[in-house]
Amino acid sequence: MDIATGGPLISIINFKDAEELDLHSGDRVRLNCGRKKAIAIVDFAESKKALPRGKIGLFEELIKKLNVKNNDKISLKLVEKPKSIRYIRKTLDGEKLNPKEIRIIIEDIVNNRLSEAELAYFVAASYTHIMSINETVALTKAMINTGDVLKLKCRNVIDKHCIGGVAGNRTTMIIMPIIAAAGLIIPKTSSRSITSPAGTADTMEVLTNVSHSLEDIKKIIKKTNGCLVWGGSLNLAPADDKIIKVEHPLNLDARSQLLASILAKKASVSAKHVLVDIPVGKGAKIHSKKRALILKKQFELIGKKLGMQIYVVITNGSEPVGKGLGPVLEARDVLYVLKGDKRMPVDLKKKSIRLAGIMLEMGKKAKKGEGVKLAREILESGKAYDKFIEIIKAQGGKEISPDKLKLAKFKRNIKAEKRGKVMHIDNATIAKVARIAGAPADKEAGIYLYVRKNMQVKKGEVLFTIYSNSKAKLKFAVNTFKEIGGVVIKS
Amino acid sequence: MDIATGGPLISIINFKDAEELDLHSGDRVRLNCGRKKAIAIVDFAESKKALPRGKIGLFEELIKKLNVKNNDKISLKLVEKPKSIRYIRKTLDGEKLNPKEIRIIIEDIVNNRLSEAELAYFVAASYTHIMSINETVALTKAMINTGDVLKLKCRNVIDKHCIGGVAGNRTTMIIMPIIAAAGLIIPKTSSRSITSPAGTADTMEVLTNVSHSLEDIKKIIKKTNGCLVWGGSLNLAPADDKIIKVEHPLNLDARSQLLASILAKKASVSAKHVLVDIPVGKGAKIHSKKRALILKKQFELIGKKLGMQIYVVITNGSEPVGKGLGPVLEARDVLYVLKGDKRMPVDLKKKSIRLAGIMLEMGKKAKKGEGVKLAREILESGKAYDKFIEIIKAQGGKEISPDKLKLAKFKRNIKAEKRGKVMHIDNATIAKVARIAGAPADKEAGIYLYVRKNMQVKKGEVLFTIYSNSKAKLKFAVNTFKEIGGVVIKS
C-alpha cells in the first residue's frame, strides 16, 4: 500500500484472519520476510474487497523495511506490547514515573512504536496530572538523549527562545548577530511557522539557505560564532515534534512538555545560557502574567538541575512587534534595523537591544546593567550588520539590499473607517489575515502595518497593506478582515 | 486506496500540498466529487512515491461515499473541527459537561467524526476526572439515543448482566429460560468473547442461530417470552464498541463508561428491571469488594435516575464456575443442568438458581424470599428445558442431545504432579490455556475441569483435559500451562 504517514509502522489484515489469530486492533506483530524483520501495529480491513483473507497490507515504510515485493510470503507472530504502555497507564492513574520509565516512553515515541491513541494517552496523562520537577528533568534528558546533539566544546554557548504568539517579533535575527559580534557562540536553530505568518526560519530563508547538517553548522559557527538555521531538518530532541503533532487536534500544551521540549532543544545545541522570552497578552500564547510567572520559576528550577543558566524575561505580547508580517516583509524590517535605515520599526529595535543586552550580561561580555549599552553600540556601529552578512554568506547566501526584496504582485490598502485612537491591534486576527493572503508558503505575501497602538488616525488613513500573489487570496483576506476585524479604533 | 478500517473517514494528500493549503494533520476537509460530499480527516503522505502532488488518496469508505473513480476530480475545503473537540478539551481541563455537550460528543463518536487520538483524549478525560452521576446519566441517555432500540410495550421486561472475568459461568443460558418460563419477558443480548474462551453468544451459537434483526427478535420474544442473541450485530448503544476499541491498548475501563454502556444496552432493549452480577476475586474483572460496592451503589443511583430498577449481587469470582471452558464444552454443561443430568456442574446450577430467584422476585413472580424456590421448581420440573428448546427452535435451531455434541479431535490430560488439596484454580490462566488451544474461534476446543477448589487429589490424577483441533495448538497449550501454572495444589 502506497501510504507513508511518518507515524508508527502499520500492517493491515482481514478481520476474519484477525479473529482466527486472536489479534485485536492495536496489537503488535513481528513480521518476517526472508531475513528481514519488523514490528508493526495491526489494523483490520473490514471487507474482502479491501483485503482478502491470507493477505497482508503494508504501509510504505514497512515495505521498505522488509524489502518486500508483491506476492512475497510474510509470516507474523504476536509480540508483547512495548513496555512504555504500562508506564503510560501508570501516569494516567496519577502515579509518578522514574527517569528510566520516562526514558522508555520517549524512546518508544521517537521510534514510532506507539499508536496515535497511545501517544494521546501519554499527552493526556501529563496534561491532567502535572509532572513534578524531577519528572520534567527526566523528560528533558530523555528528549536530549533520543536525538542528535551539536557538540560545541566551548563554555560560552548562549541561546534564546521565545514562547511565541506575537505577530512579527523577528528579534532573533537582530540579536543573533549582536551576540556573535560580541564574541559569544550562538548556535541558533529556529522553527518554521505553524500558525503565524512567518517563523524565524521562513524569514531567514528569504536571505540565505537555512537547511544545513550538524557538520555544516559546526563549520559555520567555527567561522562566524553564530548561525540561524531551520531546526526541523535536524534530529534534535525529535520526540517533541511527535508529541506536538498529537497535541494539535485539541490545541493542548502540557506544561511539562513545553518546558522539557524547549530546554532539550537548547541543551542539544550545547547551550549553557538561555534567555527565554515569554510574551504575555491577549493574542499571545500565554494570556496571563500569573501563568508566565509560574513558567518562569519552573524554567529556572529545571535549568538549574540541568546545569544551565536560564533567564526568563516577561514581555508585552498583546500587540505585534515590527511592521511587516510575512517572510519577505519581516526580512526587510530586520535589514532596516541592522542597517540603521530610518524606515525601521523602532519597537523591534528596542526589544532586540533589550534582550541582547541581557544575553551579553549572561555571557559576561558586559557588566550588570551595561548590557543594553553594549548591544546598542554593536548594533548602531554596523558591527552587527557586518556579522549578519558574514553569517548569511557562510550559510550560502549573499548580501541583498532591503529595497531589492521583491514583494507580492497584488496589494490592497485597508483604511480607517473613522478618525480616532488605535486602541488595539490583535495578534491572532492580523496573523490570520496575513496567512489567508498566502504567508508563509508565499514568502512575498503578508501584511505591512503603518499604525501602532495609541496612534491617532484620520478617517480614510491607511492602516495596513495586504500583499498577495493571488487575487483570490487577496480578496478573501480583505473580506476576512472586514468580517473579523483586528484593529480597534476609538473615536 | 483499498483500506477500510471502520474508523473515521480519512483522506491522504502530499505533505507539500498540505503545506501550501495550510492544512495540518487531523484537520477536517469537505470533499466534493460531482454532487457527492463527505467530510474527512486529513493525513499526509511524506513522499512523492506514496502520493504525488495534486493527488488525493481516499480510504475505501470515502470512495464509496463519494462514488468516485480513478482520475475523477475532487475539490476540498477546510472546515471547522467538530464541536465535540471543544467539549473534550473541557473535560480534560476538569470541567463538567452538560447533557447537550455529552450528547454531541457521543454523536460524533458514533458517526466516526473523531480521530483515534481525539477519542483517546475523551476516554483519558473521563478516566482521570471521574464523571459525576448526572454526567453518567447523560452519557447513558446519549448512548441509548444514538443507537437503535428494541421497543417492547410491556412493563414486565427484565434483563441481567454480568461484569465478567470468570471462566465458564454460563448462567445466562440457564436463567433466561427459567425467567421466560415464569412469564416474564427477557430479551437477552450477549456478546462474543473478547478475552475469555467463550462468550454467551459463542456458546449459544453451538445450539442455534444468534444473529437476528430487531424485527426477528420481536417475533421470537412475542412467541416465547425470551431470546438469546448476539448483541454485536445489532446497533444498540453503538458508541460503546468504539470507546472499548480505543480503551483496549491500555486496558482502561473508565468507570462512568462501564456503567453507562451496560445500562444503555439494557435500556435499549426496554428492560425495566436489571440484575447485575459483579463477580469479585483475583482472576475476575473486579478484584476488590470495595470497588464492587462502589459500583453497586452507582448502578442503583443511576438506574433510579433512568427509571430502571437495578439489583446488584456481588458473587465469588475467584474460581471458574462450571466444568467446561470453550463454546461446545460450556453448551454441554448448560444442557446437563437444564436436563437434570447427573454429570452437571453443581456450582453452575446453584448460581443460576440463586440469580434467577432474585429476578423472579424483582419481576413480582415470587414473593420476597421465595424466588429461589420457584426458580428451582421451574428448572427441576423440566419447564426451563422445554422453554429453552422452544427458544432454540424459534431462533432457527433444533433440539440436540448433549452427548451428541462433537468435541475437538485431539486431547491431552493434565495430571496432578503431587497429592494434596486444590487451593486455587486461576480464571485468567486457565482461560489463556483454553484460548491457546483454539477457543472460541475453534468452537470444539477448550478445557474440561475435573477438579474444584478444596478437593483432595492423588498424584497422577487427571486435573483437566485440553481439547483442540490442531496438534500444534494443543502442544502449545500444554507447554503454556506447564510454564504459567494455574492450578495450585498444597500437600
Side-chain angles (χ1 to χ4, degrees):
Chain A
M1 291 177 174
D2 279 346
I3 306 184
T5 61
L9 301 174
I10 290 179
S11 64
I12 298 187
I13 59 177
N14 184 283
F15 82 104
K16 282 269 177 196
D17 283 338
E19 213 175 277
E20 193 157 296
L21 295 166
D22 201 11
L23 290 172
H24 299 102
S25 175
D27 278 349
R28 268 70 175 177
V29 287
R30 172 173 291 118
L31 302 174
N32 281 296
C33 175
R35 281 189 195 167
K36 303 270 185 176
K37 280 178 209 173
I39 288 181
I41 297 181
V42 182
D43 207 341
F44 303 150
E46 302 219 335
S47 77
K48 224 194 265 179
K49 199 206 139 209
L51 205 69
R53 293 198 58 176
K55 297 263 179 184
I56 185 163
L58 305 175
F59 274 33
E60 206 191 337
E61 294 102 330
L62 266 174
I63 296 178
K64 229 171 161 183
K65 200 158 182 189
L66 292 170
N67 193 19
V68 76
K69 277 163 211 73
N70 242 332
N71 295 320
D72 273 0
K73 272 203 178 167
I74 288 181
S75 68
L76 94 185
K77 198 188 156 203
L78 182 70
V79 291
E80 286 242 327
K81 295 217 164 105
K83 264 194 223 158
S84 55
I85 303 262
R86 216 159 52 214
Y87 306 141
I88 292 173
R89 168 77 197 246
K90 230 172 124 177
T91 49
L92 209 51
D93 283 329
E95 290 176 52
K96 293 290 166 208
L97 295 181
N98 68 39
K100 200 183 147 199
E101 292 165 339
I102 289 175
R103 163 94 193 221
I104 288 170
I105 293 175
I106 297 300
E107 276 173 358
D108 282 348
I109 291 174
V110 170
N111 292 304
N112 289 325
R113 291 194 198 111
L114 300 182
S115 74
E116 229 191 283
E118 289 154 359
L119 187 47
Y121 282 124
F122 176 60
V123 171
S126 5
Y127 183 77
T128 51
H129 308 293
I130 293 169
M131 279 189 163
S132 71
I133 292 292
N134 284 338
E135 282 178 310
T136 310
V137 170
L139 181 64
T140 312
K141 284 183 180 165
M143 281 183 172
I144 299 167
N145 293 332
T146 47
D148 292 338
V149 168
L150 177 75
K151 278 200 183 109
L152 298 172
K153 271 167 201 150
C154 94
R155 300 223 75 238
N156 266 342
V157 183
I158 190 162
D159 203 347
K160 75 170 281 284
H161 181 85
C162 176
I163 298 284
V166 176
N169 200 29
R170 216 42 67 216
T171 58
T172 301
M173 286 169 73
I174 298 158
I175 294 169
M176 187 274 293
I178 295 177
I179 301 301
L184 294 168
I185 306 295
I186 177 162
K188 193 75 198 71
T189 66
S190 292
S191 57
R192 294 190 186 277
S193 146
I194 300 173
T195 55
S196 68
T200 298
D202 301 310
T203 307
M204 188 69 174
E205 204 176 30
V206 171
L207 307 172
T208 189
N209 180 7
V210 294
S211 293
H212 294 278
S213 68
L214 283 179
E215 272 316 296
D216 286 346
I217 292 172
K218 252 187 181 166
K219 282 180 203 153
I220 295 164
I221 289 173
K222 203 170 172 190
K223 211 161 132 188
T224 68
N225 285 353
C227 72
L228 206 166
V229 301
W230 177 43
S233 64
L234 304 169
N235 192 35
L236 308 171
D240 185 42
D241 294 335
K242 299 186 189 282
I243 290 170
I244 285 173
K245 194 181 161 195
V246 81
E247 286 179 335
H248 175 70
L250 258 70
N251 272 323
L252 291 178
D253 52 277
R255 191 203 291 163
S256 41
Q257 268 148 26
L258 180 82
L259 292 159
S261 71
I262 291 169
L263 294 179
K265 297 241 171 195
K266 299 305 160 193
S268 296
V269 296
S270 301
K272 293 281 174 294
H273 317 274
V274 180
L275 175 75
V276 179
D277 173 12
I278 307 184
V280 175
K282 218 183 101 196
K285 208 165 164 188
I286 308 292
H287 297 223
S288 79
K289 185 135 192 209
K290 195 180 147 198
R291 185 146 183 241
L293 286 169
I294 294 173
L295 266 178
K296 177 182 162 78
K297 205 164 197 174
Q298 294 196 312
F299 262 121
E300 287 162 358
L301 254 165
I302 296 165
K304 213 171 184 179
K305 296 216 176 203
L306 291 166
M308 292 162 92
Q309 181 201 10
I310 314 282
Y311 190 96
V312 177
V313 52
I314 295 172
T315 58
N316 175 10
S318 59
E319 313 276 325
V321 173
K323 295 178 177 177
L325 310 175
V328 168
L329 288 157
E330 294 184 35
R332 200 174 64 171
D333 273 357
V334 166
L335 289 175
Y336 284 156
V337 172
L338 285 167
K339 294 189 92 159
D341 190 297
K342 61 177 187 283
R343 290 166 291 181
M344 76 172 86
V346 179
D347 57 348
L348 181 63
K349 177 182 174 183
K350 212 173 142 190
K351 182 167 177 186
S352 303
I353 287 180
R354 178 181 167 206
L355 300 185
I358 299 169
M359 290 171 77
L360 291 172
E361 292 175 19
M362 288 173 81
K364 308 259 186 278
K365 288 292 168 184
K367 278 190 207 144
K368 206 151 169 67
E370 293 178 10
V372 167
K373 204 181 124 208
L374 177 59
R376 172 171 289 121
E377 195 272 317
I378 294 173
L379 179 62
E380 291 182 349
S381 67
K383 280 186 214 156
Y385 178 73
D386 293 343
K387 179 53 83 178
F388 189 65
I389 297 304
E390 192 191 334
I391 291 166
I392 289 281
K393 286 180 181 167
Q395 291 188 202
K398 53 185 185 186
E399 187 171 1
I400 184 170
S401 153
D403 296 314
K404 289 269 165 69
L405 289 173
K406 218 177 122 243
L407 296 178
K409 268 189 294 199
F410 307 109
K411 61 178 180 177
R412 256 298 275 286
N413 289 334
I414 302 293
K415 294 172 184 170
E417 289 186 339
K418 58 177 178 185
R419 65 178 288 279
K421 190 176 167 185
V422 177
M423 302 305 290
H424 180 54
I425 301 173
D426 188 67
N427 277 313
T429 323
I430 225 76
K432 191 169 183 182
V433 174
R435 280 180 78 89
I436 289 170
D442 175 358
K443 283 198 154 30
E444 300 168 357
I447 282 179
Y448 194 76
L449 293 164
Y450 298 103
V451 296
R452 306 223 82 48
K453 190 178 175 176
N454 294 331
M455 261 176 70
Q456 288 290 342
V457 292
K458 287 178 219 139
K459 184 179 170 182
E461 190 175 332
V462 178
L463 300 174
F464 59 89
T465 306
I466 309 179
Y467 291 87
S468 179
N469 279 312
S470 146
K471 272 189 179 167
K473 285 184 179 176
L474 183 59
K475 200 176 157 192
F476 188 33
V478 171
N479 289 340
T480 303
F481 177 74
K482 280 185 182 156
E483 204 177 295
I484 61 177
V487 178
V488 183
I489 296 170
K490 203 175 156 188
S491 48
Chain B
M1 293 179 174
D2 277 346
I3 305 182
T5 60
L9 299 174
I10 290 180
S11 64
I12 299 188
I13 60 176
N14 183 283
F15 82 101
K16 282 270 178 195
D17 283 338
E19 212 175 280
E20 193 158 294
L21 295 167
D22 200 14
L23 290 174
H24 299 102
S25 176
D27 279 349
R28 266 72 177 178
V29 286
R30 171 171 293 118
L31 302 173
N32 281 297
C33 175
R35 278 186 199 172
K36 302 270 185 178
K37 282 179 208 174
I39 288 179
I41 296 181
V42 181
D43 206 343
F44 303 150
E46 301 219 335
S47 77
K48 224 193 264 178
K49 199 205 139 212
L51 204 72
R53 293 197 58 177
K55 297 262 179 189
I56 186 163
L58 305 176
F59 275 31
E60 206 192 337
E61 292 102 330
L62 266 174
I63 296 177
K64 228 168 157 187
K65 199 156 181 187
L66 292 169
N67 192 18
V68 75
K69 278 163 210 71
N70 241 332
N71 296 320
D72 272 0
K73 272 203 177 164
I74 287 180
S75 69
L76 94 185
K77 198 186 159 207
L78 181 71
V79 290
E80 286 241 329
K81 294 214 165 104
K83 264 195 222 157
S84 55
I85 303 262
R86 219 161 48 216
Y87 307 141
I88 292 173
R89 168 77 197 248
K90 232 173 123 178
T91 49
L92 210 50
D93 284 328
E95 290 176 53
K96 293 288 167 211
L97 295 181
N98 67 41
K100 199 183 148 198
E101 291 165 339
I102 290 174
R103 161 94 195 220
I104 288 170
I105 293 175
I106 297 301
E107 276 172 358
D108 282 348
I109 292 174
V110 169
N111 293 304
N112 288 325
R113 291 193 197 112
L114 300 181
S115 74
E116 229 191 283
E118 289 154 359
L119 188 47
Y121 283 124
F122 176 60
V123 171
S126 5
Y127 183 76
T128 52
H129 308 292
I130 294 169
M131 278 189 165
S132 70
I133 292 291
N134 283 338
E135 282 177 310
T136 311
V137 169
L139 180 63
T140 312
K141 284 184 181 165
M143 283 182 172
I144 300 167
N145 293 332
T146 48
D148 292 338
V149 168
L150 177 74
K151 278 199 184 112
L152 298 173
K153 271 167 202 152
C154 94
R155 298 223 79 236
N156 266 344
V157 183
I158 189 161
D159 203 348
K160 74 169 282 283
H161 181 84
C162 176
I163 298 285
V166 177
N169 200 30
R170 213 45 63 215
T171 57
T172 300
M173 286 168 73
I174 298 158
I175 294 169
M176 187 274 293
I178 295 177
I179 300 302
L184 294 168
I185 307 296
I186 177 162
K188 191 74 198 76
T189 67
S190 291
S191 56
R192 294 189 185 279
S193 148
I194 300 173
T195 56
S196 68
T200 297
D202 302 309
T203 307
M204 189 70 174
E205 204 175 29
V206 171
L207 306 172
T208 189
N209 180 9
V210 294
S211 293
H212 293 279
S213 68
L214 285 180
E215 272 316 296
D216 286 346
I217 292 171
K218 253 189 180 165
K219 282 179 204 152
I220 295 164
I221 289 173
K222 205 170 171 189
K223 212 162 131 187
T224 68
N225 284 355
C227 71
L228 206 166
V229 301
W230 176 43
S233 65
L234 304 170
N235 192 37
L236 308 171
D240 186 41
D241 295 335
K242 298 184 189 282
I243 289 171
I244 285 173
K245 195 182 160 192
V246 82
E247 286 179 335
H248 174 70
L250 259 70
N251 271 325
L252 290 178
D253 52 275
R255 190 202 294 163
S256 39
Q257 267 147 28
L258 180 82
L259 291 160
S261 70
I262 292 168
L263 294 180
K265 298 242 174 199
K266 299 304 159 195
S268 296
V269 295
S270 302
K272 293 281 174 290
H273 316 274
V274 180
L275 174 76
V276 179
D277 172 12
I278 306 184
V280 175
K282 221 182 101 197
K285 208 166 166 189
I286 308 292
H287 298 224
S288 78
K289 183 133 191 211
K290 194 179 147 198
R291 186 147 182 242
L293 285 169
I294 294 173
L295 267 178
K296 178 183 162 76
K297 205 165 197 172
Q298 294 195 313
F299 262 119
E300 288 163 357
L301 253 166
I302 296 164
K304 212 170 183 179
K305 295 216 176 201
L306 291 167
M308 291 162 92
Q309 180 202 10
I310 314 282
Y311 190 96
V312 177
V313 53
I314 296 173
T315 57
N316 176 10
S318 59
E319 313 276 326
V321 173
K323 295 177 176 179
L325 310 175
V328 169
L329 288 156
E330 295 184 34
R332 202 175 60 171
D333 273 358
V334 165
L335 290 176
Y336 284 157
V337 172
L338 286 168
K339 293 189 91 159
D341 189 295
K342 59 176 188 276
R343 290 166 290 180
M344 76 170 87
V346 179
D347 57 347
L348 181 62
K349 176 182 174 181
K350 212 172 142 190
K351 182 167 176 184
S352 302
I353 287 180
R354 177 180 169 208
L355 300 185
I358 299 170
M359 290 170 76
L360 291 173
E361 292 176 18
M362 289 173 81
K364 307 258 186 279
K365 288 291 169 187
K367 277 190 206 147
K368 207 156 170 65
E370 293 179 10
V372 167
K373 203 182 126 209
L374 177 60
R376 171 170 292 119
E377 194 273 315
I378 294 173
L379 178 62
E380 291 181 349
S381 67
K383 281 185 214 156
Y385 178 73
D386 293 344
K387 179 53 85 177
F388 189 63
I389 297 304
E390 190 190 337
I391 291 166
I392 290 280
K393 287 180 180 167
Q395 290 187 200
K398 53 184 185 191
E399 187 170 3
I400 184 170
S401 154
D403 295 311
K404 288 269 167 66
L405 289 172
K406 218 177 120 244
L407 296 178
K409 268 189 292 199
F410 308 110
K411 61 177 180 177
R412 258 293 276 288
N413 288 336
I414 302 294
K415 294 171 185 170
E417 290 185 339
K418 57 178 178 186
R419 64 177 288 280
K421 187 175 166 186
V422 177
M423 304 303 291
H424 179 55
I425 301 173
D426 188 66
N427 277 314
T429 324
I430 225 76
K432 193 170 181 179
V433 174
R435 279 180 78 90
I436 289 170
D442 175 357
K443 283 200 155 28
E444 299 168 359
I447 282 179
Y448 194 75
L449 294 163
Y450 297 102
V451 295
R452 307 224 81 47
K453 191 176 175 178
N454 294 330
M455 261 175 73
Q456 289 289 342
V457 292
K458 288 180 218 140
K459 186 179 171 182
E461 188 176 332
V462 177
L463 300 173
F464 58 88
T465 306
I466 308 179
Y467 292 87
S468 180
N469 278 312
S470 146
K471 273 191 178 166
K473 284 184 179 175
L474 182 60
K475 200 176 157 190
F476 187 33
V478 171
N479 289 339
T480 303
F481 176 74
K482 280 186 179 154
E483 205 178 292
I484 60 176
V487 179
V488 183
I489 295 171
K490 203 176 159 191
S491 49

